[in-house]
Structure formats: C-alpha cells, structure tokens
Amino acid sequence: DPVLRLAAIEKTYKKGKPGEVRVLRGAALSIDPGEVVALVAPSGAGKSTLLHIAGLLDTPDGGTVEIGGARMDTLSDRRRTAMRRSALGFVYQFHHLLPEFTAEENIALPQLANGAARAAARERARALLDSVGIADRAGHRPAALSGGEQQRVAFCRAMANAPRLLLADEPTGNLDPATSDRVFAALMQVVRDTGLSALIATHNLELAARMDRVVQLEDGLLREGAREQA
Ligand code: ADP
Ligand code: ADP
C-alpha cells in the first residue's frame, strides 16, 4: 500500500457564503514507502490546506484520505489524533519549539505524550540530535540556538515518534541559502537512512529537484512535474 493516498480531494471554504473559495477540486496524490515528494505551489494555491488534510488536521469535503491503506477521513476525532501522533511528523517554516524547554526536552515531549518512558524518550532525543550533528546542543533552549540548529531540532521533534510520513512546509524557508542547503542535506540524510516517506512543500526548485518527484498544485489539482516559475 502507499504510505499516503489522497483521491478526489475537494475543499471549499465559506461554502454558499460570500467569499466562497473552492481550493481543492479533485486533487489526487499517492506516496510510496520511502518516497520523498516535493510539493510546489504558487502562494494561495492551497498548499497549507492540502498539507492539513494529508496531516489529518482538517477533513476534506469530498474524496478519501488513506494512510498505509487505511481510511482516515472516516475515523473518529480521537482515533485520527492518535494516528496523527504516532504515524505523522510535522516540520514548519518556523520551528514552533517550546521556548522554556531544552532541545532534548522538546524532542522528548511528544514521545511522553505518546506513552514513552522518560529515560527512553531522552535517549531517543539524544540519538536524533546526534543524527543531525548537534548532539552538543541537547541542553540548550531554542533562543540559544542558531536558526539552522532550531530547524534541526524541529525536525528531530517531528521524528520523535518514528513517523511513517513526514509533512514539511518550507522546512528551511527562513534560513539563508547556504544554511538552508546544509540543513536540508542533513534532514534528507536522516530521511533516507530511515526509509521515511515525505511530502515537502518548497518554493526552492533546487531543493525540489533533489527529491524523488515533484508535484505542482494548481487550479485545485495536483500535477506531476514543476513549471519554471514555481
Ligand atoms: P497556500 O498555503 O497555498 O498559500 P491556503 O491553503 O492557505 O494556501 O489557502 C488557499 C485559499 O483558501 C486562499 O485563497 C485562502 O485565502 C483561502 N483560505 C484558507 N483558509 C481559509 C479559511 N479558514 N477560511 C476561508 N478561506 C480560507
Ligand atoms: P498534542 O496535543 O500532543 O500537541 P495534537 O494532537 O494536538 O498533539 O497534535 C499532533 C500533531 O499535530 C503535532 O505534531 C502538532 O504539532 C500538530 N498540530 C496540531 N494542531 C495543529 C495545527 N492547527 N496546525 C498544524 N499542526 C498542528
């Protein structure tokens, strides 16, 4: 089974009201195990909407969402949340780390929420930090880290519960080009080493070209391949 399968996804905001906007019009996407897919979309095309639906944070008006062959759009809110915590990892353009906790604690917390023991959570946090080259930053709070380090920690937090699918929205978008390149390379190395599947939204076509496949969101549909101006 594909890790993620979206079929005929429809989403309209303000249905039947002034300002109605039909964002997704039958969007379809399938991601195989180990596949890393770039999502490129002009601003306002519905990238966030699509990522929220794939991430089980929002439900579509029509169509089906499957993870590992199981229907998600028909689950109860409770089971969908459990699935989100255990099967999905999220990384955003801005890290959203908790400022009062250290790097290690930020990565341990989602594991504790998922039922892990404290010692095991700490050990995994350390191993993840080591895998992205910042083991020595484990005890630092976010404010004491560079932008690139913060994004590495955010990535480790997304990896905390060993997700099957990583969803990322411009994960290196707020970094300068050289740092973005280095951080992206570090993240991709871990993704490849773990055989993780990923859907990564980016405006950077050079980064997109380093993924397995590029899909473009346009006119409410997903198409294979990127256009120059994306
Ligand atoms: P992107 O991430 O590609 O910029 P979004 O998915 O955020 O696009 O939004 C797509 C369109 O839907 C935009 O026109 C946006 O204004 C509109 N939109 C998004 N969320 C809402 C909402 N909650 N209510 C009404 N319109 C929305
Ligand atoms: P918790 O209560 O443990 O924070 P949630 O079920 O609220 O867990 O969230 C699970 C995952 O979904 C987390 O990785 C969280 O970052 C992400 N998430 C939750 N709500 C949103 C949201 N509105 N937008 C983006 N990501 C979200």
Side-chain angles (χ1 to χ4, degrees):
D1 285 319
V3 169
L4 173 71
R5 198 172 84 91
L6 302 176
I9 300 294
E10 295 278 344
K11 186 73 182 183
T12 301
Y13 291 112
K14 302 190 174 169
K15 202 168 212 153
K17 294 188 196 135
E20 172 176 309
V21 47
R22 192 170 165 211
V23 181
L24 300 175
R25 308 166 174 250
L29 175 67
S30 189
I31 300 181
D32 285 331
E35 208 178 15
V36 177
V37 177
L39 172 64
V40 296
S43 185
K47 178 192 69 175
S48 305
T49 301
L50 186 86
L51 286 172
H52 282 148
I53 288 172
L56 310 180
L57 293 162
D58 197 1
T59 48
D61 301 325
T64 57
V65 179
E66 288 175 20
I67 291 186
R71 281 285 289 272
M72 294 293 125
D73 45 288
T74 51
L75 289 183
S76 67
D77 286 351
R78 222 175 118 246
R79 297 198 57 195
R80 200 165 29 238
T81 297
M83 194 67 184
R84 191 163 64 229
R85 283 188 187 162
S86 63
L88 303 176
F90 300 87
V91 191
Y92 306 99
Q93 180 171 5
F94 298 98
H95 57 75
H96 299 307
L97 296 170
L98 298 171
E100 67 274 31
F101 292 98
T102 66
E104 181 185 298
E105 288 164 348
N106 267 281
I107 303 163
L109 284 169
Q111 301 177 69
L112 300 176
N114 208 34
R118 201 161 282 276
R122 181 177 304 151
E123 193 174 322
R124 176 161 174 78
R126 293 245 169 107
L128 283 165
L129 287 167
D130 191 36
S131 73
V132 295
I134 54 168
D136 58 330
R137 296 290 187 267
H140 291 56
R141 290 185 183 177
L145 300 172
S146 72
E149 288 168 346
Q150 290 170 352
Q151 287 304 92
R152 287 176 203 241
V153 176
F155 169 75
C156 291
R157 179 186 52 184
M159 298 293 288
N161 289 325
R164 300 163 72 171
L165 175 67
L166 181 76
L167 297 165
D169 194 352
E170 297 276 354
T172 62
N174 69 329
L175 305 175
D176 66 76
T179 306
S180 166
D181 220 68
R182 274 204 312 279
V183 171
F184 183 80
L187 308 194
M188 279 302 277
Q189 185 68 50
V190 177
V191 166
R192 295 306 192 186
D193 287 350
T194 38
L196 187 65
S197 306
L199 179 60
I200 303 176
T202 181
H203 287 296
N204 183 329
L205 293 188
E206 274 170 47
L207 295 188
R210 280 148 67 177
M211 303 184 213
D212 298 322
R213 229 168 85 208
V214 179
V215 295
Q216 165 121 12
L217 178 59
E218 200 177 43
D219 302 326
L221 294 169
L222 288 163
R223 297 192 182 83
E224 295 289 326
R227 297 252 189 92
E228 290 305 313
Q229 77 273 20

